[in-house]
Amino acid sequence: MYGWTGKLLHVDLTRGTCERREIPTDILHAYLGGRGLGVRLMRDYFRLGPFEPDLPLIFAVGPLCGTNSPTAARLSCVSRSPLTGTIYDCSAGGRFAWRMKAAGLDAVFITGKSPKPVFLSIDPARDELHPAQSLWGKGVKETVAALSDHGSVTTIGPAGENGVLFANIMMGEGNSIGRGGLGAVMGAKGLKAITTQGDGVTGIADKERFDAARGDVMRLFRASPVIFGGLGIAEYGTPALVDLMAQRRMAPTENFRSTFFADSGNYSGPAIRKECGAKKEGCYGCPIQCKKASAAGEALPEYETVNHFGALNGISDLHAIVKANSLCNELGLDTISAAATLSAFGEARGRFPDAAEVASLLADIAYRHDQGELLSLGSRRMAEILGRPELSMSVKSLELPAYDPRGAYGMALAYVTSNRGGCHLRAYPISHEILRKPVPTDRFSFSGKARIIKIAEDVNAAVDSLVACKFAFFGATLEEYGELLSAVTGIEYGPESLKAIGERIYLTERFYNCANGFSHDHDTLPHRFFEEAGSAGEGIDVPPIDLARFEEELQKYYRIRGLDEEGRFGDRDLLAELP
Amino acid sequence: MRDQIYKYTGKLLADRSACADGIAFAAQDDVLITAGAPELAALAGATLSRLNSLALVAARPTLPFADFLIARAGQGEECIVPQDTETRTFLHDIPFLRRKDLADDPAPVLAKLLGNRKGVIVEGVGIVAVGAITVEQAFINYSSVFHSTFVKYLQDLLVDGFRLPGEREAFDSFRRDWLRPLSASGLDFVDALSLEKDEILAEIERVGRYTVERGLVDSFFGNISAVAGERIYISQTAASLDELKGCIDPVPADNSSTTGITASSELLAHRKIYEQTGARVILHGHPKFSVVMSMLCDRKAECVIKDCWKDCPHVRDLGGTPVVAGEIGAGGLAKRVPPVIGASGSAIVYGHGVFTLGRAGFGEAFAAMVDVENFCREEYFRRMNR
């Protein structure tokens, strides 16, 4: 078999066992890897609560990992989110994924709960659990340094140990498994870290075809202004979007009360380069290298992070924002949810936190001290407890990132149809509504968006299962990645068959969610977006979203998906139809 | 979506790439809609309903070049592989279905081919192209296939001559009836472009329309810019040159803002051309004969370079216009065009298109592009007549 190893490491933390098992080949072919494989492996467990010991925490790589397919040395982590209650996955880069594949594994499937803190070491010769009492309570940097002899490290910080509902799992190279609180799931299992090392090679069925496909991908990268353009993400990282979002009047500001922040230039891509000496860094083997680090090697914040610690909280001090980012990384906190929760908290109490207060509040959250106990629950629960539920700018409890939905109607629809809650990366319509890739669409129109969002969700479910980076698709398409996959595996895949796989994955996730009580009532935006205008300027008007038109398009989306008016499956037993 | 279908039907007619009675679109939102020539519309609808895409166009080209390419293809060949940049970068190859292989219902096999590629040629039927997320995208892919088959057929004729019954007559008809004299006459330009933003934007929009109307570029591709002090105004990536209103990015020369992340992929080339030439404006189109002629090279037989389009270090000459290799975007084009374009005011990129300069305004740049294309057109027919 090419592309896959066909092996899964089953770890039972309750029993303290590690066992390598076969993964049925037809499952790999039908779900690819990453998100898809993880979602499929959740089939018998998706009703379990996020902190129930038997709930699996799954790490899965894809068939392209281990080859030099551009942007594909990634993994997905899949489980059920304690923040949202939905099925949850997150894609992350770093060396860990590549080394896990090289250790002979497509997936690591972790269940149970260890009576004492442990870390898991994965090695082609021996997979083993080790005591980690001495690491419990340590920050991310110290943990990674302590375990570096074991290879690549992924770990939780204090936030994950303490059950913060938006705790991340941090990759040793600075990447994160973020947003949905899977760090808290890992912490609840008593698992502090996982290390992996391996030297295996992923075979390629047709090297000549692979090289040609890789050439096609790279050519499209070079032709994409967003990727390799002089103002693109390879140069400035994702903060290249700061100026654009300001110009488009869709930068969420002061808990989404407005959409323009006059001081956003302080943390734009050029400003970060100038102030922090930003240099290129990125995921292992990735030609784009969109992440940036300071001259001293400190990871610099992404677009969503600078906006949310910046405009969303009314903070213009770049160095305070960088410090907040570093603190989140060290504590194992999701930056978007942390900043958005602080912002909702700020609006509720009538005062947004200043730069100095942010740092102390972040520490309080990670250790659940004082106000941090409340804030650690995320914005939805916090706002409800404060009696101001309308102030949580979230969908399905997941805090919205830095693309105001009043400025891009496809994004508005995508937020609510996302199976993991208010996330920009599922359908990612910013690609065409703002960045004009592959072709531009009218951002202030719902016309055609239901179908567009559906297609994009299918595409991106496949992308997350390959596992490739979304940014690659600012240039390349499933045409070229289908060629890469066919060349690697020796099995013919193309855009349409990959989209069919993506649709299967998306619908499975939706089915799980519906079985756990999610329906149309959860597919909506905070009322603010239907009632209050954004910040007009530069000839751009940002009115509230027309609720009736939004609802009409959502119902259209349901029909396209084959769902009923409640967004559910009726009597249909989807899982019985699928491999 | 019907307004979109109407719009892009009009564009296919305006650029004369499809026959008036042979255009059909299908689009699906929550329901499937079809419009246009009944048989083609039925095929379009039946095909699109099998695809996870939004739109599809099926149209009969005004020129028989695609069909000739199929007929000239060898037994067992299943696709055409043009060498122009458009194909190399975006299409890769163009699958085809032969007339003899068409079943009673070609939709399933067509859908299977379109499941892997953006456009397909069906012998005797036409070009079928899919738009993953918009009707415009289907139009663009049709245009790309039309452009690429046009270029490849003319290129092949130079090498192999006529090989099929009816080819010569069709070619003569193309030359006599389809081609139109190309000139800049009757067009108005601002003689000396001011530094005023509004004037610059209006002039770029107008020149964009001219460039499409005179057939110097398909509406989707190409780019235009003007420099004013420390700012370059440039058309956005994926912008139709005949619809540039609101699609021109102001880019500061010192990169103090990244607003221009949506600017054309050729921003770097434009920037360097301005730095090295002192020009005020740049026009970049893909006139077809220039593309064809740029790929001719006398040294091919003995040259060790195989990827001529990006690796050729030589500067060739077409009627005084330098021809260089170079990939688009962040590839070598931005390195190879700026040093050569200043002397002649124009440059051709291998398999890709033409860049021209204006020292004061677009009149000079537009005239230069017309001259380059006219030279290449005449040179092409001169060689065909040999």
Side-chain angles (χ1 to χ4, degrees):
Chain A
M1 182 162 55
Y2 289 99
W4 296 279
T5 68
K7 293 284 195 303
L8 168 152
L9 175 64
H10 189 284
V11 179
D12 185 333
L13 291 165
T14 305
R15 293 184 178 82
T17 58
C18 299
E19 182 190 348
R20 292 200 176 205
R21 299 176 182 172
E22 301 284 332
I23 308 174
T25 306
D26 59 334
I27 296 292
L28 292 171
H29 291 179
Y31 291 89
L32 299 177
R35 174 178 166 187
L37 179 58
V39 166
R40 175 62 181 80
L41 293 173
M42 283 286 291
R43 184 178 285 191
D44 297 328
Y45 306 91
F46 65 86
R47 286 189 171 84
L48 294 171
F51 293 135
E52 287 188 54
D54 287 343
L55 182 80
L57 180 67
I58 301 164
F59 296 82
V61 297
L64 299 179
C65 184
T67 71
N68 68 342
S69 301
T71 80
R74 302 178 68 83
L75 59 72
S76 284
C77 185
V78 181
S79 190
R80 194 169 168 201
S81 163
L83 182 69
T84 66
T86 65
I87 180 78
Y88 198 86
D89 75 284
C90 183
S91 167
R95 284 177 183 264
F96 187 90
W98 170 72
R99 288 185 189 271
M100 182 181 132
K101 182 76 169 281
L105 294 171
D106 290 325
V108 179
F109 185 93
I110 303 166
T111 63
K113 178 174 182 173
S114 175
K116 290 184 177 175
V118 290
F119 80 88
L120 166 68
S121 67
I122 298 169
D123 189 290
R126 184 176 172 83
D127 308 308
E128 201 170 8
L129 291 166
H130 309 266
Q133 191 72 52
S134 62
L135 296 173
W136 204 254
K138 304 290 187 195
V140 168
K141 273 186 192 166
E142 194 174 347
T143 306
V144 170
L147 297 176
S148 60
D149 288 347
H150 293 265
S152 286
V153 181
T154 187
T155 183
I156 56 171
E161 296 173 7
N162 295 320
V164 175
L165 296 187
F166 46 91
N168 283 358
I169 301 170
M170 303 300 297
M171 315 299 280
E173 295 85 9
N175 306 73
S176 58
I177 295 167
R179 306 300 336 266
L182 297 194
V185 174
M186 190 158 150
K189 293 185 177 304
L191 182 62
K192 175 66 178 175
I194 307 171
T195 66
T196 183
Q197 56 188 344
D199 53 10
V201 174
T202 301
I204 294 174
D206 186 338
K207 186 70 168 54
E208 192 178 341
R209 186 177 179 184
F210 178 83
D211 289 343
R214 191 176 190 284
D216 289 341
V217 171
M218 292 305 298
R219 198 169 303 124
L220 285 161
F221 282 7
R222 286 190 282 274
S224 167
V226 184
I227 298 176
F228 279 147
L231 304 170
I233 58 174
E235 285 295 321
Y236 291 102
T238 53
L241 297 175
V242 170
D243 293 327
L244 191 64
M245 291 301 154
Q247 195 281 327
R248 300 294 195 267
R249 299 271 159 170
M250 57 180 291
T253 302
E254 295 188 338
N255 204 32
F256 290 84
R257 290 197 304 209
S258 57
T259 59
F260 179 77
F261 186 55
D263 292 330
S264 66
N266 287 4
Y267 50 75
S268 68
I272 293 175
R273 173 180 281 188
K274 187 177 172 189
E275 289 292 316
C276 305
K279 59 179 182 180
K280 283 190 180 185
E281 209 171 80
C283 300
Y284 176 69
C286 176
I288 302 173
Q289 297 290 289
C290 73
K291 295 190 183 304
K292 304 297 161 206
S294 70
E298 183 179 23
L300 293 169
E302 302 262 6
Y303 164 66
E304 285 76 15
T305 305
V306 292
N307 184 85
H308 272 17
F309 279 118
L312 205 68
N313 281 287
I315 293 171
S316 57
D317 179 349
L318 170 60
H319 295 287
I321 294 168
V322 171
K323 184 178 175 186
N325 180 62
S326 298
L327 203 49
C328 285
N329 288 345
E330 176 60 11
L331 296 167
L333 283 171
D334 182 73
T335 56
I336 300 174
S337 283
T341 301
L342 291 179
S343 182
F345 179 63
E347 185 172 1
R349 71 177 179 176
R351 176 175 60 82
F352 291 102
D354 61 27
E357 194 185 8
V358 163
S360 64
L361 284 172
L362 289 175
D364 284 350
I365 291 171
Y367 292 100
R368 297 177 69 164
H369 285 160
D370 300 330
Q371 296 175 109
E373 179 67 40
L374 177 64
L375 295 167
S376 72
L377 302 175
S379 70
R380 198 265 295 169
R381 291 171 179 83
M382 178 210 68
E384 284 177 356
I385 290 168
L386 293 177
R388 302 290 304 280
E390 76 282 4
L391 297 185
S392 170
M393 296 294 115
S394 62
V395 173
K396 299 184 183 73
S397 305
L398 189 67
E399 287 75 18
L400 296 180
Y403 308 89
D404 195 288
R406 286 164 292 197
Y409 292 179
M411 194 69 255
L413 196 60
Y415 279 145
V416 305
T417 62
S418 157
N419 284 327
R420 70 174 198 172
C423 167
H424 56 297
L425 290 168
R426 302 281 100 166
Y428 213 11
I430 292 304
S431 180
H432 49 88
E433 292 190 310
I434 301 297
L435 295 169
R436 309 178 61 81
K437 292 298 174 190
V439 288
T441 61
D442 182 353
R443 66 187 175 114
F444 289 116
S445 168
F446 277 114
S447 178
K449 293 290 171 67
R451 173 72 66 173
I452 292 173
I453 295 303
K454 185 267 183 193
I455 293 169
E457 286 171 342
D458 294 345
V459 167
N460 287 328
V463 170
D464 286 333
S465 306
L466 282 172
V467 181
C469 175
K470 300 285 187 343
F471 294 164
F473 294 80
F474 288 139
T477 69
L478 284 184
E479 233 174 287
E480 294 77 31
Y481 271 85
E483 272 294 295
L484 282 173
L485 183 61
S486 302
V488 169
T489 63
I491 299 166
E492 288 303 316
Y493 288 96
E496 205 63 24
S497 61
L498 287 168
K499 279 190 274 188
I501 290 171
E503 183 174 35
R504 179 182 302 142
I505 295 162
Y506 175 89
L507 286 175
T508 302
E509 293 170 344
R510 178 106 195 166
F511 189 85
Y512 291 171
N513 284 348
C514 288
N516 283 321
F518 286 91
S519 68
H520 173 255
D521 288 349
H522 302 86
D523 293 346
T524 193
L525 290 167
H527 287 300
R528 169 162 284 166
F529 300 116
F530 300 116
E531 295 165 349
E532 300 172 26
S535 312
E538 293 197 34
I540 301 169
D541 195 19
V542 189
I545 297 168
D546 182 332
L547 178 57
R549 185 67 187 90
F550 173 84
E551 183 60 28
E552 181 189 350
E553 201 66 15
L554 181 59
Q555 287 298 329
K556 199 182 281 186
Y557 171 88
Y558 288 161
R559 288 194 291 279
I560 293 168
R561 278 278 181 213
L563 304 171
D564 63 22
E565 288 183 4
E566 284 300 304
R568 301 173 65 95
F569 289 80
D571 295 332
R572 185 181 176 194
D573 183 2
L574 177 83
L575 301 185
E577 303 168 12
L578 302 179
Chain B
M1 285 182 183
R2 288 195 183 276
D3 58 337
Q4 292 290 299
I5 289 172
Y6 181 74
K7 173 180 173 179
Y8 289 104
T9 299
K11 285 204 172 196
L12 288 172
L13 293 172
D15 66 17
R16 297 183 298 126
S17 61
C19 297
D21 59 351
I23 300 173
F25 278 88
Q28 49 185 353
D29 202 346
D30 56 339
V31 294
L32 177 73
I33 57 173
T34 59
E39 279 189 24
L40 284 172
L43 177 65
T47 305
L48 183 62
S49 63
R50 290 173 163 83
L51 293 169
N52 196 351
S53 291
L54 188 136
L56 184 139
V57 57
R60 193 170 72 251
T62 47
L63 296 168
F65 295 172
D67 273 356
F68 283 145
L69 286 172
I70 295 173
R72 290 163 69 105
Q75 288 271 336
E77 289 184 35
E78 295 175 335
C79 63
I80 296 165
V81 189
Q83 297 300 306
D84 63 288
T85 298
E86 207 141 307
T87 304
R88 180 175 294 113
T89 307
F90 301 105
L91 297 176
H92 309 307
D93 56 42
I94 306 168
F96 61 76
L97 278 173
R98 295 180 199 271
R99 197 190 311 258
K100 67 180 177 58
D101 296 329
L102 290 180
D104 290 341
D105 179 11
V109 65
L110 199 47
K112 191 175 177 193
L113 289 175
L114 286 168
N116 292 315
R117 283 291 183 263
K118 300 175 184 75
V120 170
I121 306 163
V122 186
E123 190 178 22
V125 175
I127 295 170
V128 184
V130 67
I133 63 167
T134 63
V135 176
E136 182 191 35
Q137 206 177 1
F139 162 76
I140 289 163
N141 289 333
Y142 177 94
S143 279
S144 295
V145 173
F146 182 81
H147 175 87
S148 295
T149 53
F150 186 119
V151 167
K152 178 168 172 56
Y153 181 66
L154 293 191
Q155 204 184 355
D156 287 359
L157 281 186
L158 273 184
V159 178
D160 301 324
F162 301 111
R163 291 163 51 185
L164 303 168
E167 266 190 301
R168 180 181 294 278
E169 293 75 13
F171 181 78
D172 288 344
S173 168
F174 153 69
R175 185 177 179 182
R176 185 182 60 244
D177 303 328
W178 197 90
L179 281 179
R180 291 172 178 169
L182 177 61
S183 80
S185 67
L187 304 178
D188 293 322
F189 299 95
V190 173
D191 290 337
L193 205 57
S194 74
L195 299 179
E196 292 298 319
K197 178 181 176 183
D198 289 347
E199 183 185 84
I200 291 170
L201 297 183
E203 186 71 348
I204 291 176
E205 287 171 33
R206 182 162 56 160
V207 173
R209 280 196 308 277
Y210 289 165
T211 311
V212 174
E213 286 166 8
R214 296 283 157 120
L216 291 168
V217 71
D218 304 315
S219 67
F220 178 66
F221 296 98
N223 41 71
I224 304 179
S225 75
V227 69
E230 294 300 304
R231 191 158 290 195
I232 297 172
Y233 293 90
I234 184 166
S235 54
Q236 292 184 337
T237 183
S240 298
L241 289 194
D242 52 349
E243 295 181 84
L244 287 180
K245 189 172 179 58
C247 295
I248 298 164
D249 276 339
V251 182
D254 61 357
N255 278 357
S256 56
S257 162
T258 51
T259 309
I261 190 175
T262 53
S264 162
S265 60
E266 299 305 354
L267 171 63
L268 183 61
H270 285 237
R271 191 192 291 270
K272 289 190 171 179
I273 290 170
Y274 287 125
E275 286 170 2
Q276 295 189 28
T277 65
R280 269 306 307 278
V281 305
I282 297 169
L283 182 59
H284 169 47
H286 301 169
K288 292 180 171 61
F289 284 93
S290 301
V291 177
V292 172
M293 296 302 293
S294 72
M295 292 188 280
L296 294 182
C297 176
D298 298 337
R299 301 188 196 177
K300 272 190 179 163
E302 70 269 21
C303 187
V304 295
I305 296 169
K306 295 302 169 213
D307 287 336
C308 318
W309 53 279
K310 69 179 174 73
D311 291 340
C312 179
H314 304 294
V315 180
R316 293 173 292 129
D317 177 89
L318 275 170
T321 299
V323 183
V324 296
E327 265 187 293
I328 57 177
L333 183 157
K335 294 188 187 81
R336 291 207 169 104
V337 171
V340 302
I341 196 171
S344 61
S346 56
I348 306 177
V349 179
Y350 185 105
H352 181 51
V354 179
F355 286 81
T356 57
L357 306 179
R359 313 276 161 182
F362 280 106
E364 182 188 358
F366 198 93
M369 188 167 291
V370 166
D371 288 346
V372 170
E373 178 65 355
N374 274 332
F375 174 86
C376 289
R377 188 191 280 195
E378 287 161 18
E379 180 64 12
Y380 179 85
F381 288 116
R382 189 184 69 76
R383 292 193 184 212
M384 278 298 291
N385 288 336
R386 277 199 305 211

